[in-house]
Amino acid sequence: MVHTLQADGVTFEDVLAELAERRVEFREQRYVPKDFIARLKELGIYRAATPTRFGGQPLAPADFLRRIERISAVDGSTGWVASFGSALVYLAALPLETQAEIYRDGPDVAFAGGLFPVQPAEPTETGFLVDGRWKFASGCMGADVLGVGIPGDETTAGKPRTAVLRPEQVEIVQEWDVVGMRGTGSFDLVVRGAEVPREWTFIRGGTPTVDEPLYRYPTIAYAAQVLAVVGAGVARAALDHAEAVGAGYAGVTGAPKLADRPYYRTAVAGAEAALRSARAWFYEVSNEVWETVLAGDEATDEQNAQLRLSSAHLAKTSSDVVAGLLEVSGTAPINTGHPLQLLHGDALVPKQHAFLGPSMYDAAGAVLMGLPPTTPGFR
């Protein structure tokens, strides 16, 4: 259960109610606008990964994940955008002076990144000359700072860098035509000849310059978790719909109501059990790793593998739940505007993400058997 949040008289429930009224607007325009990002800021979503030293109120990962799941149950796209409130953990690898500048106007900072494909960047005396086009910059329309991927070098162990820019340095190309998570505004970013100082670049998942517990939690695993839990929220919405509609829907053939059909009841019950089981493991692992970090210890390779595996499993289970409910719901979901049709598209997206795809099972299995991970960037 998510406890009621309140900030300056605005409750979590107030914002969810507004979201329910506006989600069609966001889907049609294909992005979550700045004014609603401001509403999420009022709830603390965009200070939940800001260092305490810069006025942030860092949340335990499981607490943040529950909030994202609840938002996603109302609208997956907005949950996906809000999930990047966690992405400020990446910025903790920047020099402290750079972070101080980013948080100069307050701790509520929305960061969005189009990190791939990594584009060449010519080194200069003070940094890098950045020029190129990047894809999938979810939430970029409401971002305060933006990141783009550039190559690493011998100092980054081969890992790419992210160059951090202000919105006025970036052109947003609204190229985003998809069947799922349509409202995320995952547009392209274009940068033309911007010189970015070296101190405004970081290695994603690099060693943090801030010594606080949240930045010792496995960074890439956390990035996978916040996306997986969006799928869980979408699946919850699908289950709520299926359970509510079952008692009232009768097909055009005169067949019994859905709830009167044994196969429908069995499918809904199985989906409920599957989702709840996957969620329980997902949150159990997150809490266990957080306790390890709070105790001052580093998360083990096995714990990281469990985080990655439980995230991939939750994303797949969530997608399977929605697909299964759609399959047993008769002809109604063939309509393009049917709730299950829309939720099906949304639930597909987390499962397809590189952080959550089938290769994660292989990589996690290797680590659990004492072998190196088979996927680059697994930790």
Side-chain angles (χ1 to χ4, degrees), residues 19 23 26-27 32 71-80 234 346:
L19 176 58
R23 58 192 172 190
F26 300 168
R27 186 183 307 124
V32 180
I71 295 168
S72 302
V74 179
D75 180 51
S77 291
T78 304
W80 187 271
V234 171
D346 284 353

Side-chain angles (χ1 to χ4, degrees), residues 14-378:
D14 291 337
V15 175
L16 292 184
E18 180 181 342
L19 176 58
E21 294 178 355
R22 300 185 64 187
R23 58 192 172 190
V24 174
E25 169 198 336
F26 300 168
R27 186 183 307 124
E28 290 178 349
Q29 70 185 15
R30 297 180 297 152
Y31 65 90
V32 180
K34 263 188 175 293
D35 72 287
F36 198 80
I37 297 296
R39 295 287 279 167
L40 296 172
K41 286 181 177 180
E42 291 176 23
L43 295 180
I45 295 296
Y46 289 98
R47 64 173 59 189
T50 301
T52 302
R53 66 183 294 157
F54 297 118
Q57 296 176 335
L59 286 175
D63 290 341
F64 182 78
L65 293 166
R66 288 188 181 92
R67 286 154 174 74
I68 299 305
E69 184 180 11
R70 182 80 184 281
I71 295 168
S72 302
V74 179
D75 180 51
S77 291
T78 304
W80 187 271
V81 170
S83 79
F84 290 99
S86 67
L88 298 181
V89 297
Y90 294 145
L91 303 190
L94 288 166
L96 291 176
E97 295 78 12
T98 305
Q99 294 184 59
E101 178 64 20
I102 289 172
Y103 299 119
R104 180 182 60 183
D105 296 327
D108 301 296
V109 172
F111 171 64
L115 306 183
F116 297 101
V118 172
Q119 300 287 355
E122 181 182 343
T124 66
E125 288 187 8
T126 59
F128 302 92
L129 191 63
V130 177
D131 193 284
R133 182 166 178 160
W134 294 260
K135 303 194 75 65
F136 304 130
S138 301
C140 59
M141 296 294 286
D144 301 301
V145 288
L146 296 159
V148 296
I150 62 175
D153 51 33
E154 67 280 355
T155 68
T156 69
K159 296 179 181 179
R161 292 181 183 273
T162 298
V164 179
L165 303 105
R166 296 293 187 182
E168 57 269 21
Q169 297 175 283
V170 181
E171 176 191 355
I172 296 174
V173 181
Q174 295 189 22
E175 185 175 278
W176 183 241
D177 186 13
V178 290
V179 297
M181 300 293 180
R182 186 170 177 80
T184 60
S186 300
F187 300 137
D188 292 5
L189 302 182
V190 176
V191 180
R192 295 302 180 206
E195 186 168 11
V196 179
R198 180 174 292 269
E199 62 269 22
W200 281 78
T201 70
F202 65 88
I203 305 168
R204 189 169 64 165
T207 302
T209 56
V210 177
D211 185 18
E212 295 180 17
L214 183 59
Y215 313 106
R216 296 194 291 270
Y217 191 86
T219 305
I220 304 301
Y222 193 23
Q225 285 187 296
V226 301
L227 301 181
V229 84
V230 174
V234 171
R236 179 72 264 159
L239 268 164
D240 289 348
H241 173 84
E243 292 166 5
V245 168
Y249 176 77
V252 297
T253 63
K257 293 178 181 178
L258 289 173
D260 292 331
R261 306 177 197 183
Y263 72 85
Y264 186 81
R265 296 194 299 266
T266 301
V268 170
E272 189 75 56
L275 181 62
R276 286 180 180 269
S277 297
R279 286 183 72 259
W281 179 35
F282 175 82
Y283 282 111
E284 175 189 338
V285 174
S286 184
N287 286 326
E288 175 192 321
V289 177
W290 182 240
E291 289 300 321
T292 297
V293 169
L294 288 180
D297 298 321
E298 183 178 355
T300 66
D301 288 342
E302 181 174 342
Q303 285 179 319
N304 182 72
Q306 293 276 0
L307 287 173
R308 300 301 303 269
L309 183 57
S310 63
S311 297
H313 179 63
L314 181 60
K316 183 179 186 306
T317 299
S318 299
S319 182
D320 290 349
V321 160
V322 182
L325 294 173
L326 190 150
E327 183 178 340
V328 298
S329 294
T331 58
I334 68 173
N335 294 290
T336 55
H338 190 276
L340 286 181
Q341 195 65 257
L342 298 171
L343 293 168
H344 185 233
D346 284 353
L348 180 66
V349 175
K351 184 182 71 168
Q352 300 300 113
H353 195 280
F355 280 174
L356 299 165
S359 64
M360 293 302 106
Y361 288 83
D362 180 34
V367 173
L368 296 178
M369 287 180 274
L371 302 173
T374 56
T375 301
F378 189 68

